Amino acid sequence: MSMSDSAYSLFVQQQTDRGIDVEQVKARLKELKVETPSWGYGDSGTRFKVFKQVGVPRNPFEKLDDAAQVHRLTGICPSVALHIPWDKVDDYDQLQQHAASLNLTLGAINPNLFQDDDYIFGSLCNSNPAIRRRAVEHMLECIEIARTVNSSIISLWLADGTNYPGQDSIRGRKHRLLETLTEVYQALDPNMRLLIEYKFFEPAFYHTDLGDWGMAYNMALKLGDQAQVLVDTGHHAQGTNVEQIVAYLLDEQKLGGFHFNNRKYADDDLIVGSVNPYELFLIFYQILDAHADANKGIQQTAENIAYMIDQSHCIEPKIPAMIRSVLNVHTQYAKALLINLDEVKAAQEKQDVLGAENAVREAFEFDVTPLLHVVREEMGVPINPMRAYLESGYADSIKPRGKGGASW
Amino acid sequence: MSMSDSAYSLFVQQQTDRGIDVEQVKARLKELKVETPSWGYGDSGTRFKVFKQVGVPRNPFEKLDDAAQVHRLTGICPSVALHIPWDKVDDYDQLQQHAASLNLTLGAINPNLFQDDDYIFGSLCNSNPAIRRRAVEHMLECIEIARTVNSSIISLWLADGTNYPGQDSIRGRKHRLLETLTEVYQALDPNMRLLIEYKFFEPAFYHTDLGDWGMAYNMALKLGDQAQVLVDTGHHAQGTNVEQIVAYLLDEQKLGGFHFNNRKYADDDLIVGSVNPYELFLIFYQILDAHADANKGIQQTAENIAYMIDQSHCIEPKIPAMIRSVLNVHTQYAKALLINLDEVKAAQEKQDVLGAENAVREAFEFDVTPLLHVVREEMGVPINPMRAYLESGYADSIKPRGKGGASW
Amino acid sequence: MSMSDSAYSLFVQQQTDRGIDVEQVKARLKELKVETPSWGYGDSGTRFKVFKQVGVPRNPFEKLDDAAQVHRLTGICPSVALHIPWDKVDDYDQLQQHAASLNLTLGAINPNLFQDDDYIFGSLCNSNPAIRRRAVEHMLECIEIARTVNSSIISLWLADGTNYPGQDSIRGRKHRLLETLTEVYQALDPNMRLLIEYKFFEPAFYHTDLGDWGMAYNMALKLGDQAQVLVDTGHHAQGTNVEQIVAYLLDEQKLGGFHFNNRKYADDDLIVGSVNPYELFLIFYQILDAHADANKGIQQTAENIAYMIDQSHCIEPKIPAMIRSVLNVHTQYAKALLINLDEVKAAQEKQDVLGAENAVREAFEFDVTPLLHVVREEMGVPINPMRAYLESGYADSIKPRGKGGASW
Amino acid sequence: MSMSDSAYSLFVQQQTDRGIDVEQVKARLKELKVETPSWGYGDSGTRFKVFKQVGVPRNPFEKLDDAAQVHRLTGICPSVALHIPWDKVDDYDQLQQHAASLNLTLGAINPNLFQDDDYIFGSLCNSNPAIRRRAVEHMLECIEIARTVNSSIISLWLADGTNYPGQDSIRGRKHRLLETLTEVYQALDPNMRLLIEYKFFEPAFYHTDLGDWGMAYNMALKLGDQAQVLVDTGHHAQGTNVEQIVAYLLDEQKLGGFHFNNRKYADDDLIVGSVNPYELFLIFYQILDAHADANKGIQQTAENIAYMIDQSHCIEPKIPAMIRSVLNVHTQYAKALLINLDEVKAAQEKQDVLGAENAVREAFEFDVTPLLHVVREEMGVPINPMRAYLESGYADSIKPRGKGGASW
């Protein structure tokens, strides 16, 4: 038996002894879908500098080419989020066919309400009705694109806000937002969802119109069932318990999805799981716990959660950074699947603080590498996707694209 | 003309020229009511040390005596919040009569759900139904006390939460809370309000069951019109725009009141206005702006906002610290009343960022001392309440109480 | 007597009664010098968008033209900081003559160690000696420019850092920094100072090589007396007591100067004094208190503090934003000058917390508008510089410059 | 071969293949010493409530009894920190003999400069010389106790600070501190170290006299080689890179030791490794990296680092909470020992961001349970110390102590 085989059989024995059904774990690991963002393959940076990298895609088609590499190697990234107008093309059928040829589908459509000169004082919240109109039209255009490319998700990140006290009426902007979003919402097809993102600060520095989960949730509540909240893991104040918000939204059936990334201070958009992997694990724990309760008929919960990556690779090469991100998500999801939820609940019922904490943390301590190797083998992807990428020569093959590709 | 008279007539001229109706400002300054908390007169401190002060009241009657000084000198503190069981007495009629004899009424009733050994793992959210029962019974007792003392407000600060990941089910606790609060809510008389406070952290360190305004708001929404949110100015993550939350809740007609204090990092419970006076001013700006809009029929807003102080004077003497707090509130309210809201709106409509900002900030720059002196004179209270207190000999008169009075 | 005259004579009487020497206050207000940054007149923004404004200067000469307006109207901004290479010109004599013709001098030279492709992994700390060499050469070039334009300050903001754990050796980078800075330091003329700035995060997100005042101070200590610390008011963690750091550095005679701006969460680079004016006042209190002690021979302190503005006006027009900033600095400095330091000390000696706090805060409450009007009158500048600017027609006169001027 | 044996032999093979010398790792794991604090066994809580637990030790002797259990089961906690006066006894020889009889030694002496009524406005920084004298005397008494019990460490946590702007002279207090600490320092025996702790806030809320590492470091620098900095992992602003401070102090040879704990927002004093285990791992990475460089003669570094736990178990039972803490430290230390530092450096030299990050993170992913089992077996302690504790009956055996034991 190879070391790898030994490691896996040991793992299976160990987990089986703990009451974990490894086959079920494997099934769920294979089902996980993580959408990568088209803009994660392009150049990005800070306000101080965008370091242009060689080989960055020059158009949406090349972004899909790169995303296809990530899916080919990880097996769990079959869809790609688009950002309009960054990914605007003349012929979306052609783009979709290109995606299909790469074994990809087109995912969430992300409108851009922050890069037009008109939006200097806001878009959907702007006091100027002509600019609100423009923003609504852009949203409607995005819904139309979603319809064309068979996407069912509109991800709304609203950068609106103000930089100074008094600059605009906070309540007035709230009313305008409800009005404009209502029109957008009514244009949705029945199969579509509007995922409303919130953000603590930046690019607005005094107040952000959708500044926290409560504001996004309240808006989604007023709009209806097709509106849900999108949690970007980097969009919270320091010290915020993100997994609590996740649990709360799950319980209200308003958790629409995630924008995964990581940060140390602000919205740093670093590789997910690179600064605080335990937080990502605890987020998955809340999701799995909610779903287990729903399966037992204890409590209803949000379903159909869209897992999406939203990062900005300033200094590291884009494709391997994306692969690393996807692997980190897979890893923490795998660890969370090893939590024996019955054991946790039993300790909780006894109010055994240390026992309950241990039952959760213990799963985090396992090395899931052998498990993921087997999962990947069974999915027909390389057991070590990063090494496979580095050895693939793909990075060299895209060098002719040169510097100065797509950026935001 | 005395210097003081000159200063006031100059002030009137100046403000009249700006389009401010000084008589109306004075009327509103006289109407302001700031409730002081009985516990603010007792000893308090940090987890490391409670420094006992000489003269601290030994019982609820003496707390009222001290609160009466604050009202006598400031003229705007006619009610006192009670904390049960700290202020438990055998005969509430007697307490109320004592209050009346001091020209005071009894204000918000604050239940205590954190100091009983039973509450080590929570009160209304506890997984143990017997403890939830106990907590509900305590809430019902507080409603009964409110009924007895003619108070219409129950201020609920829920300290419940967990210290470790996995310790208890976040969603389970949320369900328990809705269940217990529903029972409490149904016991309210029609004239009563349940004000739900939220807090970012402490005493729970991993998750707090009502951790932010969104959770308190959502709970109030589910309970009904008599449930509103209570904003403690110290209970937010760093960088939070508190006045935005105020504006948001005003607009949802869910702003029930405030617990005023100030802080630099956590819930420091310092004298309101001592660390960032501009924030307090901006909170009043949002309130006055909302009320002005409501008066014009533009937007409905929350009314009947309860202004309450909630501080913990660790090292400074209690009564003058409370006077200072009340004066700071009065000062910032006075400054906010000098904002020419029409001018702000005009600048906002032109999207004139600097003009709008200036129209707000300008009011903050005025010295409202001459105005407040006249207001106090007309109210029949000392124009300098702090000096009047220091010269009153009251501090000496209570020295016989000794050290070791009421504390929490 | 005009209202304005009455206001001032009342002010003088009031302050004289408090023991404040108004003539001395006026003298110091006239002496204050606030340097404005050339880059504050150009376009800037966030990583999401730079909104281009009409009339933005197209070159360093035009930047000086705009800065001259600020000085002409405020009277306290006689120098302009340059940023190299943004302000690189062929002939610095010509630039200096242009400045002189505008009644300006050229101030601190700010090297740029973050916008070259080579600096993707750092500049002075880079593990690649060729890149460190390049960075040192740039610093030496800046010293040479300083020499040419008679500037005595090199302001070093080092953007170096890493984005991921393990990316580089934290200690190794520290050693490289000391080595490169030593070379730079040795090239300084005897009259020159190297002001070392620190920053909590951004553009590096995991660790910043000069991440706090302690690291900048320690470096300055190792380099020698001509190296001091530069405090940017926006470069601290939330909750940091900036005025304490100021007091600390004053006492160590290592406070070289300030980059003034304001923020609510991160390094927002908003108009100084617009978010928390009290903090700015408290900073000046520490400075004035230290200088008073030094004058009395009690404690030595830093002298020759360079007051510089460093802001990024994303949505507001540049020149009036700069005027607003300068006015805010002047206002808070004026208020701090009204602190009766003897009264504060007397209360401190009695350990009278509320008395001492009051003696400081009281000065903040005064309206210094009448004082500043007279100061400006005596200085021969408009009493209301902002209004004067708006009425001057200057904004219209620069419209022909069009959009797309200098930016970073 | 048992599953456990298989796991270990697999582990050895795996690590050997990676170039890790497992025997050396084991040796270092056996050498690790983690001091537990006497106060960690007593009751503690928040300012709102101390929940008294049954079985808490009633005196220093019983605290040692409990600490002995932790050492007996983990094998790496041979010393116990004392807090004076909490652990004051008439006869320190007797206490030391009791310790020796339990296989323990007495560790760092922690003075208490915050719980005396005199210290309301500070201790070593107090403007009242009599109180400073008292504080110095207490420090001298602690040095004498250290001498008596053969302890070589004085851990100074200075709670001094102010709650309001202006309350006292920040610079004056700094001078007083240097003066008092100089006297304390001079009383140290040559083998003793004074470890100076810093803290961001609490119990002082406006400014803390030793508020960050820079202030503690600067003080240590002025005092001399026997003064070093003590890093409490919970005493930083949010977003602070603690491992960078560790690396910095190591490089300056001023890292004296740690107070381990964990937190989510403030100084929560939770079980170390329970909120962000990766941070603890990264701290050890910096230490091991520095020591490796020192061994190679590349850079000098701090040695003789004192690893101490400082926690406050509010709701969980004390002894198992301490065991969990020690195990978490051992676990993260073990993981850090699996970092192939040569591989990291090789990637760093190539400026391969993802490769270097991976080389560090990879070690974190390993399950070190088999390794720690063997280490414990070889040390003659239970392989699962927590289970051994729970099965030991010790918790029952101390129940007769009742409630109301030692607390702070």
Side-chain angles (χ1 to χ4, degrees), chain D residues 166-372:
Chain D
Q167 180 186 325
D168 199 358
S169 164
I170 291 174
R171 288 171 303 106
R173 296 174 71 91
K174 174 172 176 278
H175 283 255
R176 294 174 212 140
L177 181 58
L178 180 58
E179 184 192 295
T180 48
L181 278 188
T182 299
E183 182 177 349
V184 169
Y185 184 82
Q186 286 165 351
L188 294 173
D189 288 348
N191 71 317
M192 289 181 177
R193 289 187 289 163
L194 176 67
L195 303 194
I196 304 173
E197 200 166 342
Y198 57 90
K199 190 174 182 185
F200 193 58
F201 89 113
E202 193 210 27
F205 296 129
Y206 171 64
H207 109 282
T208 298
D209 288 294
L210 291 172
D212 61 23
W213 78 268
M215 299 178 194
Y217 165 74
N218 195 38
M219 204 51 79
L221 210 58
K222 289 179 197 289
L223 291 175
D225 285 349
Q226 287 172 255
Q228 292 181 307
V229 179
L230 178 57
V231 176
D232 182 298
T233 46
H235 288 192
H236 305 84
Q238 287 278 335
T240 302
N241 187 320
V242 178
E243 57 268 29
Q244 178 185 9
I245 293 172
V246 169
Y248 205 98
L249 290 170
L250 279 161
D251 194 58
E252 296 288 344
Q253 302 178 58
K254 278 294 189 191
L255 180 67
F258 288 92
H259 271 184
F260 283 135
N261 50 57
N262 217 330
R263 60 85 173 259
K264 195 153 180 75
Y265 189 70
D267 182 35
D268 306 337
D269 276 331
L270 300 177
I271 290 173
V272 55
S274 65
V275 177
N276 188 349
Y278 196 46
E279 184 183 67
L280 183 56
F281 165 85
L282 291 173
I283 287 172
F284 278 124
Y285 158 50
Q286 291 298 336
I287 293 169
L288 294 171
D289 188 55
H291 285 166
D293 279 357
N295 287 341
K296 290 180 190 157
I298 297 174
Q299 288 174 6
Q300 284 194 292
T301 192
E303 286 177 11
N304 200 11
I305 303 166
Y307 297 112
M308 303 178 283
I309 285 175
D310 181 7
Q311 293 170 183
S312 160
H313 309 122
C314 302
I315 59 167
E316 66 272 32
K318 318 292 176 185
I319 301 171
M322 198 62 81
I323 292 170
R324 166 56 52 216
S325 307
V326 174
L327 298 182
N328 285 357
V329 172
H330 219 183
T331 294
Q332 298 310 328
Y333 186 58
K335 290 184 174 201
L337 284 164
L338 301 182
I339 300 172
N340 185 326
L341 294 171
D342 292 335
E343 193 186 327
V344 177
K345 298 235 177 231
Q348 287 176 347
E349 273 161 31
K350 287 185 291 178
Q351 303 198 318
D352 173 4
V353 178
L354 293 173
E357 190 271 343
N358 186 64
V360 172
R361 186 182 28 71
E362 182 184 62
F364 183 70
E365 295 293 343
F366 290 116
D367 185 351
V368 292
T369 314
L371 170 68
L372 287 168

Side-chain angles (χ1 to χ4, degrees), chain C residues 126-127 166 171 174-175 206 208 212-213 217-218 222 241 243-244 251-252 289 293 299 348 351, chain D residues 126-127 166 171 174-175 206 208 212-213 217-218 222 241 243-244 251-252 289 293 299 348 351:
Chain C
N126 202 304
S127 61
R171 289 171 301 105
K174 175 172 176 277
H175 283 254
Y206 171 65
T208 298
D212 61 23
W213 77 268
Y217 165 74
N218 195 40
K222 289 181 198 287
N241 188 320
E243 57 268 30
Q244 179 184 8
D251 195 58
E252 295 289 345
D289 189 55
D293 278 358
Q299 286 174 8
Q348 286 176 349
Q351 302 198 320
Chain D
N126 202 304
S127 61
R171 288 171 303 106
K174 174 172 176 278
H175 283 255
Y206 171 64
T208 298
D212 61 23
W213 78 268
Y217 165 74
N218 195 38
K222 289 179 197 289
N241 187 320
E243 57 268 29
Q244 178 185 9
D251 194 58
E252 296 288 344
D289 188 55
D293 279 357
Q299 288 174 6
Q348 287 176 347
Q351 303 198 318

Side-chain angles (χ1 to χ4, degrees), chain C residues 156-378:
Chain C
L156 170 66
W157 170 49
L158 186 73
D160 285 27
T162 62
N163 274 8
Y164 293 101
Q167 180 186 325
D168 199 358
S169 164
I170 291 173
R171 289 171 301 105
R173 295 174 73 91
K174 175 172 176 277
H175 283 254
R176 291 173 213 143
L177 181 58
L178 181 57
E179 184 191 296
T180 48
L181 279 187
T182 299
E183 181 176 350
V184 169
Y185 184 84
Q186 286 166 350
L188 294 172
D189 288 348
N191 71 317
M192 288 180 177
R193 288 186 289 163
L194 177 68
L195 304 193
I196 303 173
E197 200 166 342
Y198 56 91
K199 189 173 183 186
F200 193 57
F201 89 111
E202 193 211 24
F205 296 129
Y206 171 65
H207 110 282
T208 298
D209 287 293
L210 291 172
D212 61 23
W213 77 268
M215 298 178 194
Y217 165 74
N218 195 40
M219 204 51 80
L221 209 60
K222 289 181 198 287
L223 291 174
D225 285 350
Q226 286 173 254
Q228 292 181 307
V229 179
L230 177 58
V231 176
D232 182 299
T233 47
H235 288 191
H236 305 85
Q238 286 278 335
T240 301
N241 188 320
V242 178
E243 57 268 30
Q244 179 184 8
I245 293 172
V246 168
Y248 205 99
L249 289 170
L250 279 162
D251 195 58
E252 295 289 345
Q253 303 176 60
K254 279 294 188 190
L255 181 67
F258 288 92
H259 270 183
F260 283 134
N261 49 58
N262 218 331
R263 61 85 174 260
K264 195 154 181 73
Y265 189 70
D267 181 36
D268 306 336
D269 276 329
L270 300 176
I271 290 173
V272 55
S274 65
V275 177
N276 189 348
Y278 197 45
E279 185 182 67
L280 182 56
F281 166 85
L282 292 172
I283 286 171
F284 278 123
Y285 158 51
Q286 290 299 334
I287 293 168
L288 294 171
D289 189 55
H291 287 166
D293 278 358
N295 286 340
K296 291 180 190 158
I298 296 174
Q299 286 174 8
Q300 286 193 291
T301 191
E303 286 177 9
N304 200 11
I305 302 166
Y307 298 112
M308 303 178 282
I309 286 176
D310 181 8
Q311 293 169 183
S312 160
H313 308 121
C314 302
I315 60 168
E316 65 273 31
K318 319 292 175 184
I319 300 171
M322 197 62 83
I323 292 171
R324 168 56 51 216
S325 306
V326 173
L327 298 181
N328 286 358
V329 172
H330 219 185
T331 294
Q332 298 309 329
Y333 185 58
K335 290 185 174 203
L337 283 164
L338 301 181
I339 301 173
N340 185 326
L341 293 172
D342 291 335
E343 194 186 328
V344 178
K345 298 236 176 231
Q348 286 176 349
E349 271 161 31
K350 288 187 289 179
Q351 302 198 320
D352 173 3
V353 178
L354 293 174
E357 189 272 343
N358 186 63
V360 171
R361 186 183 27 72
E362 183 184 60
F364 183 70
E365 295 293 343
F366 291 116
D367 185 351
V368 292
T369 314
L371 170 67
L372 287 169
H373 282 186
V374 169
V375 164
R376 289 192 192 112
E377 215 160 35
E378 294 179 9

Side-chain angles (χ1 to χ4, degrees), chain B residues 256-271:
Chain B
F258 288 92
H259 270 183
F260 282 135
N261 50 58
N262 218 331
R263 61 84 175 261
K264 196 155 179 72
Y265 188 71
D267 182 37
D268 307 336
D269 276 331
L270 300 177
I271 289 173

Side-chain angles (χ1 to χ4, degrees), chain C residues 72-208:
Chain C
R72 186 179 67 81
L73 297 167
T74 64
I76 58 170
C77 302
S79 67
V80 182
L82 299 184
H83 192 111
I84 306 299
W86 300 339
D87 296 323
K88 218 163 174 172
V89 292
D90 291 334
D91 183 344
Y92 287 97
D93 286 337
Q94 196 190 348
L95 191 68
Q96 206 181 356
Q97 283 162 26
H98 186 66
S101 77
L102 295 163
N103 215 14
L104 296 175
T105 60
L106 301 178
I109 306 299
N110 291 254
N112 183 314
L113 297 171
F114 52 91
Q115 270 193 333
D116 197 283
D117 281 345
D118 272 0
Y119 297 151
I120 183 167
F121 303 123
S123 59
L124 295 172
C125 300
N126 202 304
S127 61
N128 181 334
I131 295 172
R132 292 203 300 279
R133 188 72 245 143
R134 176 179 183 139
V136 168
E137 294 296 338
H138 177 62
M139 293 292 294
L140 299 178
E141 177 195 7
C142 287
I143 292 172
E144 185 54 41
I145 292 171
R147 203 170 278 134
T148 307
V149 302
N150 290 316
S151 169
S152 61
I153 292 181
I154 307 292
S155 293
L156 170 66
W157 170 49
L158 186 73
D160 285 27
T162 62
N163 274 8
Y164 293 101
Q167 180 186 325
D168 199 358
S169 164
I170 291 173
R171 289 171 301 105
R173 295 174 73 91
K174 175 172 176 277
H175 283 254
R176 291 173 213 143
L177 181 58
L178 181 57
E179 184 191 296
T180 48
L181 279 187
T182 299
E183 181 176 350
V184 169
Y185 184 84
Q186 286 166 350
L188 294 172
D189 288 348
N191 71 317
M192 288 180 177
R193 288 186 289 163
L194 177 68
L195 304 193
I196 303 173
E197 200 166 342
Y198 56 91
K199 189 173 183 186
F200 193 57
F201 89 111
E202 193 211 24
F205 296 129
Y206 171 65
H207 110 282
T208 298

